[in-house]
Amino acid sequence: MMRAAAIGLVCAMFNSVNGYAEMVVQACFSPQTKCSVHILREIDLAKRELLVAVYAFTHDELANALVRAKNRGVTVQVVIDREFDAVNERSKGKYFDAQKIPLRRLSGLRSATFDKENGLMHQKFAVIDRRVLFTGSYNWTHSADSSNDENLLLFRDAGPLAEEYRKAFLNLWERKF
């Protein structure tokens, strides 16, 4: 009995020493709460890598936070929807280009069964330092904060889950325009 308790204690210490922690999940609903506050906090804490895939990106503060992260040495990459960026004058695509933030403008995949235009790149997620994940209906827009009914989930210490989203991001990034 004592040996099992000692092994359990050693395993717990090993996990905490190696940075393994239990995943924490937090939900945010707008417009009741400004979800951008949570995103800004995590961007400011980013140390190595920040991958963002969102359909619409018009939020000035979030865009500026990505630039600050890039300027302090964080690798920042952004994927946005090509059509939204082309028709919305508030889209941050040109701003990211000017700030030298690596950016891909993508359309959704063509359907093999329908003869129609490309769909939307409708993803809405971000992966920070391979351990923090944001996902939900929340686009990175002022409307998402102030007038739309949106949801945003924040997962901290989410290594395996964050890695799945990171792979999805990299697949988007490598897709041909």
Side-chain angles (χ1 to χ4, degrees):
M1 178 76 159
M2 192 121 150
R3 182 174 180 206
I7 291 172
L9 179 61
V10 169
C11 288
M13 288 172 39
F14 178 76
N15 285 341
S16 64
V17 166
N18 286 310
Y20 295 109
E22 196 168 315
M23 182 167 51
V24 175
V25 181
Q26 183 177 359
C28 180
F29 299 91
S30 66
Q32 299 86 347
T33 305
K34 289 196 176 291
C35 296
S36 62
V37 171
H38 301 287
I39 299 170
L40 288 166
R41 178 188 63 234
E42 297 300 327
I43 290 172
D44 288 340
L45 293 173
K47 302 221 182 315
R48 294 179 309 279
E49 182 181 72
L50 218 158
L51 308 175
V52 178
V54 291
Y55 166 72
F57 199 136
T58 64
H59 201 291
D60 296 328
E61 290 176 82
L62 294 174
N64 291 334
L66 292 183
V67 171
R68 286 193 310 272
K70 176 194 165 269
N71 290 341
R72 68 174 187 272
V74 176
T75 298
V76 178
Q77 294 173 263
V78 178
V79 172
I80 57 176
D81 183 73
R82 181 186 320 168
E83 286 70 29
F84 180 86
D85 186 57
V87 301
N88 190 304
E89 65 187 36
R90 296 179 59 209
S91 181
K92 294 300 175 194
K94 289 182 181 122
Y95 175 71
F96 291 141
D97 287 340
Q99 297 297 317
K100 308 267 190 273
I101 297 272
L103 175 71
R104 293 280 195 272
R105 294 168 175 90
L106 298 178
S107 297
L109 292 173
R110 285 193 191 271
S111 170
T113 58
F114 299 104
D115 184 26
K116 64 175 191 164
E117 295 295 315
N118 286 345
L120 304 174
M121 194 302 297
H122 212 248
Q123 299 285 3
K124 298 168 187 84
F125 68 87
V127 181
I128 302 172
D129 292 339
R130 297 182 177 205
R131 62 172 198 75
V132 175
L133 169 67
F134 283 104
T135 191
S137 67
Y138 186 89
N139 276 302
W140 291 25
T141 65
H142 292 287
S143 296
D145 254 353
S146 60
S147 57
N148 296 349
D149 285 316
E150 303 277 359
N151 71 80
L152 181 71
L153 291 172
L154 163 60
F155 298 85
R156 276 192 204 91
D157 297 315
L161 181 61
E163 190 58 31
E164 289 300 313
Y165 275 84
R166 185 176 185 277
K167 287 176 189 173
F169 180 90
L170 295 174
N171 285 334
L172 287 171
W173 191 259
E174 294 303 320
R175 187 188 300 170
K176 299 297 178 209
F177 303 71

